[in-house]
């Protein structure tokens, strides 16, 4: 009985290994094709991004505009389909690896052999490598798709602008002129607001100076001695000014007389 159980367990382990190897081979092939798809997607996008000749005929322009659309739809469909298939295979391989881990935990009282653990670790490393490669390739292709969508929208906007009628261009000019007028009005309003703020500031400063002068006068009126002292100082300053002016005038007169003699 015990030998039969050991045989069944051995068969289960071999079956799990066989399924894991089969899935790993399928995922490896899928990842190679997926990577080639990403490379061809990038090359196709670079070719599509080249500017068209302005001297080509309308028929050639129509065919060149239609072909990228068909190729784009086909490439995106292939990318989505292959990404879904790889995701499903990775999920199955993850499930197989989990079952192999459960097998190592349930083989009995004896600890699993080093070869068994090495095999399990090898399968887990392969699963991790495949998952990382798939995530990296998917991220690169998604980044290229987003870049192409952005460039495509820009090109469509440019073509729409070039193909717009004279009326649309005239409307755009009117809109731009209206925008310029609004900007000018906004600048004038800002300057008026600055002038009003400056006027209010000057008025507040004038009121402050007036209140200070009133306080000084009130203080001088309350103390007559200080008021008289201030008046004397002012009189002495005026007298000194008069004396200096008289001396300067005499010196000038003497210089003039000396110059004429």
């Amino acid at each position: 009985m015990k030998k039969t159980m050991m045989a069944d367990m051995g068969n289960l382990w071999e079956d799990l290994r066989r399924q894991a190897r089969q899935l790993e081979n399928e995922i490896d092939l899928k990842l190679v094709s997926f990577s080639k798809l990403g490379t061809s997607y990038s090359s196709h996008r670079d070719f599509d991004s080249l500017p068209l000749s302005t001297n080509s005929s309308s028929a050639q322009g129509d065919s060149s505009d239609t072909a990228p659309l068909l190729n784009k739809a086909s490439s995106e469909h292939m990318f989505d389909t292959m990404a879904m298939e790889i995701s499903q295979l990775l999920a199955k391989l993850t499930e197989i690896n989990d079952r192999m881990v459960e097998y190592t935990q349930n083989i009995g009282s004896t600890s699993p052999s080093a070869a068994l653990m090495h095999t399990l670790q090898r399968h887990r490393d392969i699963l991790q490598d495949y998952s990382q490669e798939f995530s990296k390739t998917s991220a690169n292709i998604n980044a290229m798709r987003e870049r192409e969508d952005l460039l495509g929208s820009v090109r469509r906007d440019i073509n729409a602008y070039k193909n717009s009628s004279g009326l649309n261009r005239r409307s755009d000019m009117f809109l731009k002129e209206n925008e310029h007028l609004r900007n000018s009005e906004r600048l004038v309003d800002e300057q008026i607001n600055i002038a009003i703020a400056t006027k209010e500031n000057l008025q507040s400063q004038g009121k402050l100076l007036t209140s200070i002068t009133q306080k000084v006068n009130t203080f001088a009126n309350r103390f007559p001695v200080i008021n008289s002292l201030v008046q004397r100082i002012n009189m002495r300053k005026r007298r000194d000014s008069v004396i200096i002016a008289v001396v300067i005038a005499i010196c000038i007169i003497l210089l003039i007389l000396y110059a004429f003699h």
Side-chain angles (χ1 to χ4, degrees):
M1 183 68 179
K2 184 176 181 180
K3 292 181 179 181
T4 304
M5 292 180 62
M6 293 296 294
D8 292 338
M9 295 292 287
N11 293 332
L12 177 61
W13 174 255
E14 292 298 328
D15 184 60
L16 291 175
R17 286 190 60 190
R18 181 182 57 78
Q19 295 181 29
R21 286 195 298 268
Q22 182 179 359
L23 289 172
E24 288 169 357
N25 292 330
E26 292 182 9
I27 293 173
D28 185 59
L29 294 176
K30 291 287 185 181
L31 285 176
V32 172
S33 301
F34 195 61
S35 180
K36 290 181 180 179
L37 177 63
T39 304
S40 62
Y41 191 91
S42 176
S43 302
H44 175 68
R45 289 293 177 250
D46 294 337
F47 177 78
D48 290 342
S49 62
L50 295 175
L52 296 175
S53 175
T54 55
N55 295 327
S56 60
S57 62
S58 60
Q60 292 176 348
D62 293 339
S63 61
S64 61
D65 290 341
T66 305
L69 293 176
L70 296 176
N71 293 331
K72 178 181 178 181
S74 177
S75 299
E76 290 183 352
H77 178 70
M78 290 177 60
F79 169 76
D80 294 335
T81 302
M82 193 171 295
M84 183 176 63
E85 292 177 355
I86 295 175
S87 298
Q88 293 175 354
L89 291 175
L90 288 173
K92 292 180 181 179
L93 184 58
T94 302
E95 182 181 357
I96 296 298
N97 277 272
D98 293 339
R99 292 176 62 185
M100 293 173 73
V101 172
E102 293 179 358
Y103 173 83
T104 58
Q105 295 174 352
N106 299 326
I107 57 175
S109 58
T110 59
S111 60
S113 63
L116 192 69
M117 296 303 298
H118 177 74
T119 302
L120 176 61
Q121 185 62 38
R122 176 59 181 166
H123 286 293
R124 296 177 68 178
D125 292 339
I126 292 174
L127 173 61
Q128 183 178 3
D129 293 338
Y130 285 164
S131 299
Q132 291 178 354
E133 183 179 355
F134 173 64
S135 299
K136 182 179 179 181
T137 306
S138 298
N140 292 334
I141 296 178
N142 286 326
M144 287 186 290
R145 293 174 68 179
E146 293 176 357
R147 173 178 172 272
E148 178 59 25
D149 291 338
L150 179 60
L151 293 177
S153 64
V154 172
R155 286 197 296 269
R156 286 192 296 271
D157 293 338
I158 294 174
N159 292 331
Y161 177 77
K162 289 182 179 180
N163 295 328
S164 61
S165 61
L167 180 61
N168 291 333
R169 287 195 294 268
R170 193 177 299 112
S171 300
D172 293 337
M173 292 177 62
F174 288 152
L175 291 175
K176 291 181 179 179
E177 187 66 24
N178 189 17
E179 185 67 22
H180 290 325
L181 291 175
R182 290 181 179 177
N183 292 332
S184 300
E185 291 178 357
R186 186 171 62 254
L187 292 175
V188 171
D189 292 337
E190 291 177 355
Q191 296 298 325
I192 291 174
N193 292 330
I194 293 173
I196 291 174
T198 305
K199 178 182 177 182
E200 293 177 351
N201 190 12
L202 292 175
Q203 289 178 352
S204 62
Q205 291 180 1
K207 292 179 181 179
L208 180 61
L209 292 175
T210 302
S211 63
I212 292 173
T213 304
Q214 292 176 355
K215 290 180 180 180
V216 171
N217 292 332
T218 303
F219 182 77
N221 292 328
R222 288 183 179 179
F223 300 95
V225 177
I226 296 177
N227 190 15
S228 62
L229 180 61
V230 172
Q231 290 178 357
R232 289 178 183 177
I233 293 172
N234 292 331
M235 290 176 64
R236 182 168 295 179
K237 287 175 64 178
R238 285 195 296 270
R239 185 185 65 185
D240 293 339
S241 299
V242 171
I243 292 172
I244 292 172
V246 170
V247 172
I248 292 173
I250 292 172
C251 292
I252 292 173
I253 293 171
L254 292 175
L255 288 173
I256 292 173
L257 293 176
Y258 178 78
F260 281 106
H261 287 289

